[in-house]
Amino acid sequence: MSVILYVNGTPYRRDIEDRILLVQFLREHLHLTGTHVGCDTTQCGACTVIMDGVAVKSCTVLAASADGAQVTTIEGLARGETLHPVQEAFRAHHGLQCGFCTPGMLMMAVDMIARHGAALTEETVRDELEGNLCRCTGYQNIVKAIMSASAAMSRPAPASKVAS
Amino acid sequence: MSIVLPNFSYHRPVTLSDALALHGGSDDAMFIAGGHTLLPVMKAGLAAPDTLIDLRAIPDLQGIDIADGLLRIGGGATHVAVSKSETVRTAIPVLAALAGSIGDVQVRNRGTIGGSVANNDPAADYPSAVLALDATVVTDRRSIAAGDYFTGLYATALEPGEIVTALTFPIPASAGYAKFRNPASRYAMAAVFVSRLGDGSIRVAVTGAGNEGVFRWAEAEEALARDFSAQALDGAALDPDSLIGDIHASTAYRANLVRVMARRAVQNQGKASIFS
């Protein structure tokens, strides 16, 4: 079948087999390999992307089911060389080590901050990372990074920038 | 990537009649909504339909509202929609909280109440609520009382090609849910939904623990009808042989978990209490 997905703002029309998963579409058809596959059983969350405004595990979504959808992957976060605040926070707080889970963590963090804004609490972060497994950081620095990014994104812009 | 799904023909109808016609016209069709049970099952080689019919674009399966004094939830409602619905939170707050305890954020964004009920996984949360609240499963062709709907492990009264279009819930006088989650998988190892229905009758439904899936614990219902207190449950008989014994919990331990969860559900009416 033919599908059209809007990935990181760009439309991609592809002829695919009906059985292709969204994560396969991203990695193998579009060569966006930042989205990882850890378990392929909907447990680890390394494959998390934002689809039509909500976080989903792309290993358990058919690409056919995502036809017409807006999808944001890890590749869509930075603006050129400028890191997204969540990426910057993970770097600053050493929120990664091997980095395998990191794309899923970052996408989930972006989703969380979008939904909760300044009201995000550490307890909420820990609860909502239920769907993202990490095997090497012990999560503490991930939680710190997310709280830091949330604070940074909630901070009012300096007056001079507002004026301009 | 090593995992490849068996091939099939994918369809996304926008009406119920089109979905039914597609199913009727196929030798081996299956319906898909969130896909969170079906796709893993297909990856494991345990199912290989020749046709997948995606139900998510059908408006008749959506919506959450109160009609004729009943809470109606469309079969296509996602867990996140149920958990965040002001209608559900007002009518049956514990049901919203139960929905919010399913899986994780990403799973709740995709999984549907109709899919969960149609699958009748022995560790799923909704079956206990449906049974304990005396809900009705509405399909494209009939209404099925909760007590007649769940027929065993992964088994329901649905005929091939029958679609869960909605569930209707009477508003209880009070209801509570308590779940002990498997520390690894996070599915219920034992969970109990206790409700006092509008007519004063007591319902106790157990999930995650039964050899035959979700079940009503009649002895607990009788005990609570006499005395609605956590202590009343101490004497309620529960046959360990009717419970799952596995690497995570022996039948005796599970029986104890069921009793403890039932006490917590009684003590915390209006809430879903989640333990690990």
Side-chain angles (χ1 to χ4, degrees), chain A residues 17-19 21 24 28 37 40 42 48 51 54-57 59-60 64-65 67 108 115 130-132, chain B residues 1 3-5 7-10 12 35-36 39-40 43 52 54 56 103-106 109-110 181 186:
Chain A
E17 288 183 298
D18 291 24
R19 61 178 165 175
L21 298 164
Q24 291 169 319
E28 297 167 20
V37 183
D40 214 350
T42 335
T48 300
M51 184 173 95
V54 302
V56 302
K57 296 183 181 183
C59 76
T60 313
S65 185
D67 185 21
M108 197 58 224
R115 280 186 288 110
E130 174 75 36
N132 292 75
Chain B
M1 193 177 307
I3 305 291
V4 179
L5 291 174
N7 216 350
F8 51 81
S9 174
Y10 171 89
R12 203 201 290 186
H36 275 52
L39 292 179
K43 289 175 184 174
L52 272 190
D54 193 332
R56 285 176 317 110
D104 51 59
V105 171
Q106 298 97 310
N109 284 338
R110 294 285 296 175
R181 297 194 297 184
R186 319 303 269 160

Side-chain angles (χ1 to χ4, degrees), chain B residues 125-247:
Chain B
D125 298 272
Y126 280 127
S128 67
V130 172
L131 203 53
L133 291 169
D134 203 25
T136 299
V137 179
V138 182
T139 76
D140 56 279
R141 63 198 70 170
R142 54 180 169 152
S143 293
I144 309 171
D148 299 323
Y149 178 78
F150 300 103
T151 57
L153 222 60
Y154 294 105
T156 71
L158 294 175
E159 299 291 335
E162 194 169 2
I163 298 173
V164 175
T165 57
L167 289 104
T168 60
F169 296 84
I171 313 296
S174 72
Y177 182 59
K179 167 164 70 165
F180 189 92
R181 297 194 297 184
N182 180 299
S185 76
R186 319 303 269 160
Y187 283 97
M189 276 175 61
V192 181
F193 198 108
V194 175
S195 64
R196 277 192 285 201
L197 300 183
D199 64 2
S201 61
I202 304 294
R203 295 294 175 88
V204 178
V206 180
T207 191
N211 279 325
E212 295 298 320
V214 67
F215 66 94
R216 279 176 63 181
W217 182 10
E219 293 85 347
E221 291 177 357
E222 289 156 13
L224 292 173
R226 289 189 296 268
D227 170 21
F228 195 82
S229 73
Q231 291 77 11
L233 290 166
D234 289 351
L238 178 61
D239 180 11
D241 287 341
S242 68
L243 303 179
I244 296 168
D246 58 18
I247 192 173

